[in-house]
Amino acid sequence: MSPSAADGRRPIRRALISVYDKTGLEALARGLHDAGVELVSTGGSAALIDGLGIPVVRVEELTGFPECLEGRVKTLHPRVHAGILADTRKPEHLSQLDDLGVAAFELVVCNLYPFRETVASGATPDECIEQIDIGGPSMVRAAAKNHPSVAIVTSPGTYDDALAAVAAGGFTLEQRKLLAAQAFVHTADYDSAVANWMGNVYVDTSEGTGFPQWSGATFTKAETLRYGENPHQAAALYRHWRGGIASARQLFGKAMSYNNYVDADAAVRAAYDHGDLPTVAIIKHANPCGIAVGAADESIASVHAKAHACDSMSAFGGVIATNRPVTVEMAETVKDIFTEVVVAPAFDDGAVEILSARKAIRLLQLPADQVAGDPVEIRPISGGMLMQQRDKVDAVVRDGAGEVTGGDDAANWRLVSGEPASAETLTDLQFAWRAIRAVKSNAILLASGGASVGVGMGQVNRVDACHLAVSRAGAERAQGSVAASDAFFPFPDGLEVLLDAGVKAVVAPGGSLRDQSVIDAAQAAGVTMYFTGTRHFAH
Ligand SMILES: NC(=O)c1ncn([C@@H]2O[C@H](COP(=O)(O)O)[C@@H](O)[C@H]2O)c1NC=O
């Protein structure tokens, strides 16, 4: 057995080319032709190849049938598909091809109509439907199925590899298997985009719930992680096409860990909850140990200093996210604090160099327009998954008559105790209410001057969350701070912990059966309290 037969190489004599994205087509066609490969191609692809003076057989010549119906039918013909699907290991397939006068292809190069891009452009349904490729996926799937005989190439980025394989006497069987697997992901991703659009936008299968009957996505492995949440758990990072933290660009540092990604995700989420104000969130174990906002013109270094001051002990080994570029000034401070990750939309000149003095730090760049990721959150549970809209700080609560009765905007809050808050106190309450969304339930957050000063997170009862927030703040900082509670106080006991610590104003959703006893406690202390009517659980 020759070495080439041993690794399953099949020399490439005839290639079918049908590509929407013509990037790299010239070099590919030239390279194949120079290697003695006969080229067969569809309308626009054939025209480009022909225009280069490279011999090409048009598909119509092969099929004896014109491309028709505005390109809806080009390659959908047995003379094309028999040439792709013949298993050339089988003598009976070869003799049938002979009888039919069909020559086999050893290579198919195809990429598909830009359906997803067309939808994103705001095109009409008819225009979107026209961009559902039919002939392309049929060829891709056929070639991928028949990978023992045919190599399928779907990405212009791999044309150089294809030419190298041709020069080496063809793709090996292992290479063709890999190409086939990639090709089925390509068509699966394409079909999931079509199916999601069809069952979500084109026809509303959600029965008014906003959640369609089907949901699909393909994820591509970006890297194998060193380990998972713990060293004995294997783990990997997968991405889909929407961006988000999984697609952030690492500018410096050793590989991100599983826990780094979880914390960076939480940090970014927390850092983008305060509108356009400069914001810094410092996260440990998916919870904030400091969040701060600044005035519109405040330096991000100053905002970071406020966030760090909330709980400087816990910030050790934390993950920092900001919605502003990291300046040299901020970098100078952060370099002296053991920090696992910094995520920012950009790093000013010199900031990366300063921070990289810390060998253990990782620097991630995530442009603001890529922060949003998915409009829904998905959480796997055994045997299925939960899907929900993302929690955002823009809820409005209306009564049956459509009147606004509550919501995240302070203008919609209900004053249930004490004097209306001063402008300054109201600003802090509004900040605390936005910041509490980033804290795992049961959550209490004390704030002052646009910064958290004490966070009680992840407790199984609200009283303990209050105790924790107060003890983290310390008596001095708790005194005169404002407090936010992510959900209602079921009893006055938790609120009383805050009142005893001297908080001057409280914001909470309200809605408990015992609201009145909670309000009574606030009134007895003469403390301002607002009910929002909305809550921000995070589990
Ligand atoms: N209908 C068909 O038979 C058909 N065969 C191939 N295509 C697509 O036509 C495109 C290439 O067309 P052209 O070479 O004319 O630019 C490719 O994206 C390919 O996936 C087809 N188009 C859509 O289904």
Side-chain angles (χ1 to χ4, degrees), residues 391-414 433 508-511 531-536:
D391 183 23
K392 292 185 286 185
V393 279
D394 60 1
V396 173
V397 185
R398 295 178 193 278
D399 64 15
E403 290 297 314
V404 174
T405 57
D408 286 327
D409 189 331
N412 298 323
W413 295 354
R414 190 158 63 93
W433 183 243
F531 280 176
T532 62
T534 55
R535 76 166 193 217
H536 284 296

Side-chain angles (χ1 to χ4, degrees), residues 18 20 22 42 44-45 71-72 74-76 111 113 133-136:
S18 181
Y20 178 87
K22 312 268 187 306
T42 49
S45 309
R72 285 187 172 203
K74 305 183 197 181
T75 53
L76 296 165
N111 60 57
Y113 290 175
D133 200 324
I134 301 298

Side-chain angles (χ1 to χ4, degrees), residues 17-22 41-47 67-68 70-77 81 110-114 130 132-137 139-140:
I17 302 178
S18 181
V19 288
Y20 178 87
D21 178 358
K22 312 268 187 306
S41 187
T42 49
S45 309
E67 285 192 12
C68 61
E70 300 173 278
R72 285 187 172 203
V73 179
K74 305 183 197 181
T75 53
L76 296 165
H77 194 283
H81 280 270
C110 181
N111 60 57
L112 311 179
Y113 290 175
E130 214 45 61
I132 298 176
D133 200 324
I134 301 298
M139 283 189 291
V140 172

Side-chain angles (χ1 to χ4, degrees), residues 44 49 70 86 121 148 154 160 168-169 215 221 230 291 319-320 354 371 395 404 417 428 488 498-499 514 517:
I49 296 169
E70 300 173 278
S121 74
T154 56
D160 285 348
S215 176
K221 190 164 106 175
N230 299 292
I291 304 183
V319 170
I320 301 173
I354 294 166
V371 163
V404 174
S417 167
D428 268 345
F488 62 62
L498 303 178
L499 298 176
R514 298 177 197 81
S517 61

